[in-house]
Each structure stands twice: as structure tokens, then as C-alpha cells.
């Protein structure tokens, strides 16, 4: 497994990243959310909280996958079983080696100050050179799995950060795993496609930042 990046930490209460003693200005989600409309943001907030909101659902399913990949027992309420059981039974997570899970990264240079956390980086047990970078998304309904789009820009952001800190690592494939009740979908993408999408999102984000 990858060791934590030295001097990089994440404050979960403030949802801020710190690198070498300085707070990072932005997050990957802030960059990739540059095109979200106010109406869409309002919709996200409307269904975020509560015992069945997307925040607790996402946190629970992400935690279960993290523990599964680490070989640790998962503890969760029965109501999340339709998501968890189907997700962990997917072929993607069979016979793999874990390189990183819920792993903090950053992009820090003269132009950018961005932090983020990838969901998983795995390799095939029978081909350790084939690295798969993945992002997990959850949806509330089974029929919403098919329409959920890939996290292309987000994956590109994490890949850019991996390239900065681990230039000798070569990611062979990017995947978005969509987890719904009793249904799971894996969207495979070429890493170059994700990098290009991230660069586009970053350009749009930069254009909206104030000049100092």
C-alpha cells in the first residue's frame, strides 16, 4: 500500500486539507462542481441530510467498501444491505491487491492549491502492473444506476495528483462504480480521457477566480 503523503492532512470537521503547514485553497469537488447550477445545488442540499439522506448513505457505503478492501469487517444498518452486498460482490473487487483506499492527495504548485481524496486504487492479483483508479458513487433507486454519469473530471483530478506525487506509477484504467439497491454498474474509462476532462474543468474554474 502507498504510504501517506508527508505533511498532508485532512480536517474532516472543517473539510479542509493542509499541506506543509498551509491550508489548501480548494478541493477537487469544488473544481468539478464549477458547472453546477444554483438550482442543482439546492436540490443536492434538499436530499442531503436525515437518516436516509445521500450524505449518510454515501458515507456508509464508502466506509463498507474501504473496510472490505482492507480485509476488515463491515458494520452497517440492515437497510443498507441492498447496496453493500451487491457492491462487494462485483467482479471488480475480486482477486485484487489494495494500493490505496480513502487516500488523501493534493495538487500544489505556483498556480493551484487543491486537495482531494480518492476512493480506491487497486491492482489485479495476477497482474500487479495493471492499476485501477476508482471513484464510488451511490444512488437512492435501482433504476437510477443506469443513468448515473461517470466521475470523469474527478478521476482526472486524482490522476493528476498521483502523477505529481508518484510519477513512476502508471494507472491503466479509471472506473466509476455506481452503487444502488440490488444493482451495481462499473463504468470503465481511459485515463487520458479523464485527464483531459479535468484540465477542462480546471480551466473553467480558474477563469471564475478573482484576480489579486
Amino acid at each position: 500500500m502507498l504510504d501517506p503523503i508527508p505533511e498532508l492532512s485532512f480536517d474532516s470537521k472543517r473539510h479542509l486539507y493542509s499541506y506543509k503547514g498551509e491550508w489548501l485553497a480548494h478541493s477537487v469537488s469544488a473544481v468539478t462542481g464549477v458547472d453546477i447550477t444554483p438550482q442543482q445545488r439546492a436540490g443536492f442540499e434538499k436530499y442531503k441530510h436525515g437518516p436516509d439522506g445521500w450524505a449518510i448513505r454515501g458515507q456508509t457505503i464508502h466506509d463498507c467498501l474501504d473496510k472490505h478492501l482492507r480485509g476488515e469487517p463491515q458494520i452497517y444498518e440492515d437497510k443498507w444491505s441492498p447496496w453493500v452486498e451487491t457492491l462487494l460482490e462485483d467482479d471488480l473487487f475480486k482477486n485484487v491487491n489494495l494500493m490505496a483506499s480513502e487516500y488523501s492527495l493534493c495538487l500544489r504548485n505556483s498556480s493551484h492549491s487543491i486537495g482531494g481524496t480518492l476512493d480506491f486504487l487497486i491492482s489485479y492479483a495476477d497482474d500487479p502492473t495493471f492499476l485501477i483508479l476508482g471513484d464510488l458513487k451511490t444512488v437512492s433507486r435501482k433504476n437510477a444506476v443506469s443513468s448515473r454519469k461517470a466521475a470523469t473530471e474527478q478521476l482526472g483530478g486524482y490522476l493528476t495528483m498521483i502523477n505529481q506525487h508518484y510519477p513512476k506509477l502508471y494507472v491503466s484504467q479509471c472506473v466509476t462504480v455506481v452503487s444502488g439497491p440490488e444493482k451495481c454498474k462499473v463504468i470503465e474509462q481511459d485515463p487520458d480521457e479523464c485527464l483531459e476532462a479535468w484540465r477542462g474543468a480546471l480551466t473553467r474554474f480558474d477563469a471564475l477566480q478573482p484576480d489579486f
Side-chain angles (χ1 to χ4, degrees):
M1 292 182 62
L2 297 180
D3 292 328
I5 295 174
E7 299 185 77
L8 174 64
S9 62
F10 177 63
D11 185 330
S12 59
K13 291 183 179 180
R14 301 175 65 181
H15 204 79
L16 290 172
Y17 294 86
S18 174
Y19 184 55
K20 294 186 177 181
E22 296 183 1
W23 295 111
L24 297 180
H26 306 291
S27 66
V28 169
S29 58
V31 175
T32 58
V34 66
D35 296 323
I36 296 176
T37 66
Q39 292 79 9
Q40 289 173 317
R41 291 188 186 279
F44 293 154
E45 286 298 317
K46 181 179 180 180
Y47 298 104
K48 179 178 180 178
H49 303 289
D52 297 315
W54 59 259
I56 186 63
R57 181 186 71 230
Q59 179 182 340
T60 300
I61 309 308
H62 276 77
D63 184 62
C64 287
L65 178 59
D66 176 48
K67 286 183 167 56
H68 174 74
L69 292 173
R70 294 177 185 274
E72 302 173 2
Q74 304 94 43
I75 301 175
Y76 53 90
E77 294 183 64
D78 288 342
K79 65 180 179 180
W80 303 120
S81 294
W83 283 263
V84 176
E85 292 176 359
T86 306
L87 171 67
L88 301 187
E89 290 172 357
D90 194 272
D91 289 342
L92 176 65
F93 302 114
K94 296 179 180 178
N95 300 315
V96 295
N97 296 321
L98 177 64
M99 293 198 66
S101 178
E102 296 299 322
Y103 186 81
S104 294
L105 291 159
C106 68
L107 175 63
R108 188 70 177 93
N109 53 37
S110 60
S111 302
H112 297 106
S113 172
I114 304 170
T117 299
L118 63 80
D119 288 339
F120 61 87
L121 181 66
I122 56 179
S123 65
Y124 291 128
D126 57 357
D127 185 5
T129 64
F130 194 93
L131 302 186
I132 302 172
L133 171 63
D135 192 73
L136 172 63
K137 301 298 183 187
T138 70
V139 294
S140 60
R141 295 170 287 106
K142 185 176 182 178
N143 60 6
V145 172
S146 299
S147 59
R148 187 63 166 85
K149 295 181 179 180
T152 312
E153 297 172 349
Q154 197 170 349
L155 287 163
Y158 300 142
L159 186 54
T160 298
M161 295 173 177
I162 290 174
N163 290 341
Q164 182 182 59
H165 294 278
Y166 299 100
K168 293 183 179 181
L169 282 184
Y170 177 77
V171 173
S172 307
Q173 187 177 75
C174 291
V175 299
T176 303
V177 179
V178 184
S179 172
E182 301 180 345
K183 187 174 182 180
C184 180
K185 177 179 72 170
V186 177
I187 306 171
E188 300 177 354
Q189 290 182 287
D190 185 275
D192 287 341
E193 177 186 359
C194 298
L195 286 172
E196 183 178 355
W198 165 256
R199 286 192 288 265
L202 193 56
T203 297
R204 296 192 299 276
F205 181 79
D206 288 343
L208 295 174
Q209 302 311 300
D211 294 327
F212 294 103

